Amino acid sequence: MRRYLEGIPGVDAVGLEQRAASLGTRSIKTSSKKLALDRVIELIDLTTLEGSDTPGKVRSLVAKAITPDPSDPSCPQVAAVCVYGDLVPVAIEALGAHHAPRAKAHGVTGISVAAVATAFPSGRASLAVKLADVADAVAAGADEIDMVIDRGAFLAGRYGEVFEQIVAVKEACRRKDGDDAHLKVILEVGELVTYDNVRRASWLAVLAGADFIKTSTGKVTSNATLPVTLLMLEVVRDWHRMTGEKVGVKPAGGIRTSKDAIKYLVTVAETAGEEWLQPHLFRFGASSLLNDVLLQRQKIRTGHYSGADYVTID
């Protein structure tokens, strides 16, 4: 494992950043902007991950996930809500008939429930504790598990340990009925420091069986960036070319505006392909992004900008 991962070519940082910058300048015609905004909404994991989260806050989050803009019945629903594991039953109950595990991957209207696990956000716990955390969330009905890797182990070069933990968590996501929870592996790119480490960690997660690779927890200073997301998209693109298997990508943390989100859509389409612009292959981990998208949609619909009080406070 070490020999393989250390043999991965280094990243041309200048070339990567130039490519990301050029993709970020691509424009979208006004006639296509509403379609792009709707697609952003459909790809959002609407998230609350605070120590102060309550059942009431989760119910409010779910209400917004189901009906993002009560003034516009044409507004689509988000892909999923993401909460701590103990609040999964609350989210499922609040969703009611709107809860449909990974439904949008199959063209069905529905919202999934994702749970963070494995000692989120630090990932510093024994494997037994991490697996118990996952097992609790899966037993509670979570459709997706967002795990964090042990960055300390990775940075110390213990790649085999990180690999084995991902494999074990993947196994803990299985259910007897075969309706397994999908696994998103959070790399926490802000703590990996270098592009070379991000590429290496992305390959490690994909090799270990991740359904998604995710940039960040949103709990550190540096989260998702366009160059890092481009690099991760190149990994899943190359994996698909090698094996025919598709792995998703989820940038999370710091994506707050419609303008930025559309840059990510362009980057996905130009790197992995438009087929990746589906909820089972690409997500935005976000809390405040949805409000900005809703305000932009209202501007297109009404011809004028609305104030922040025209959307609910998250």
Side-chain angles (χ1 to χ4, degrees):
M1 175 63 67
R2 173 187 287 275
R3 187 163 53 249
Y4 176 82
L5 291 176
E6 290 185 346
I8 294 173
V11 176
D12 175 1
V14 173
L16 178 72
E17 291 173 358
Q18 287 180 343
R19 171 68 172 160
S22 71
L23 290 170
T25 62
R26 301 282 177 87
S27 61
I28 291 182
K29 295 180 180 178
T30 303
S31 59
S32 301
K33 187 173 182 181
K34 182 177 181 297
L35 293 175
L37 294 174
D38 284 357
R39 182 56 56 91
V40 170
I41 294 173
E42 293 171 342
L43 298 174
I44 287 177
D45 282 2
L46 194 58
T47 302
T48 183
L49 296 171
E50 302 297 334
S52 58
D53 285 345
T54 63
K57 184 176 181 180
V58 171
R59 292 188 188 101
S60 295
L61 188 81
V62 168
K64 185 164 186 172
I66 295 171
T67 311
D69 186 351
S71 71
D72 183 2
S74 72
C75 184
Q77 298 176 338
V78 303
V81 293
C82 184
V83 297
Y84 278 111
D86 62 308
L87 291 168
V88 166
V90 176
I92 291 175
E93 181 183 16
L95 282 169
H98 296 278
H99 177 226
R102 298 181 300 283
K104 287 192 176 183
H106 308 288
V108 179
T109 299
I111 298 172
S112 301
V113 175
V116 294
T118 64
F120 178 95
S122 72
R124 305 306 291 257
S126 69
L127 180 58
V129 169
K130 292 179 181 181
L131 294 179
D133 196 14
V134 174
D136 284 348
V138 171
D143 308 306
E144 302 165 6
I145 296 295
D146 289 28
M147 73 165 286
V148 286
I149 66 168
D150 184 336
R151 283 84 74 192
F154 179 88
L155 292 171
R158 302 199 305 272
Y159 304 139
E161 179 181 332
V162 178
F163 178 90
E164 290 168 3
Q165 289 198 2
I166 296 172
V167 170
V169 171
K170 175 82 170 181
E171 184 63 29
C173 289
R174 300 193 186 282
R175 292 190 174 97
K176 291 182 180 179
D177 61 3
D179 186 23
D180 303 336
H182 277 199
L183 177 62
K184 305 193 197 87
V185 177
I186 307 172
L187 309 181
E188 196 66 291
V189 295
E191 293 184 345
L192 296 184
V193 183
T194 69
Y195 290 136
D196 286 350
N197 279 339
V198 172
R199 175 182 278 174
R200 193 172 290 121
S202 296
W203 274 107
L204 187 152
V206 169
L207 289 165
D211 296 301
F212 263 79
I213 49 176
K214 177 179 172 181
T215 63
S216 323
T217 62
K219 301 299 184 181
V220 300
T221 303
S222 178
N223 294 293
T225 66
L226 208 56
V228 160
T229 304
L230 170 59
L231 181 57
M232 293 167 66
L233 285 164
E234 289 175 346
V235 169
V236 301
R237 176 201 63 196
D238 293 346
W239 177 252
H240 178 247
R241 288 175 178 173
M242 289 169 55
T243 67
E245 297 177 358
K246 295 178 180 178
V247 175
V249 174
K250 178 180 173 180
I255 306 172
R256 297 184 176 88
T257 68
S258 304
K259 183 178 180 180
D260 285 342
I262 289 174
K263 292 178 182 179
Y264 281 84
L265 296 188
V266 172
T267 301
V268 173
E270 292 289 333
T271 306
E274 291 187 18
E275 60 190 304
W276 252 261
L277 291 174
Q278 303 178 63
H280 68 295
L281 289 174
F282 190 77
R283 300 280 182 85
F284 292 103
S287 54
S288 59
L289 172 62
L290 180 56
N291 276 354
D292 188 72
V293 176
L294 294 177
L295 290 173
Q296 294 299 322
R297 288 182 85 258
Q298 290 175 9
K299 165 63 167 59
I300 293 173
R301 182 162 55 93
T302 65
H304 59 81
Y305 283 106
S306 301
D309 54 346
Y310 280 76
V311 291
T312 59
I313 299 173
D314 295 330

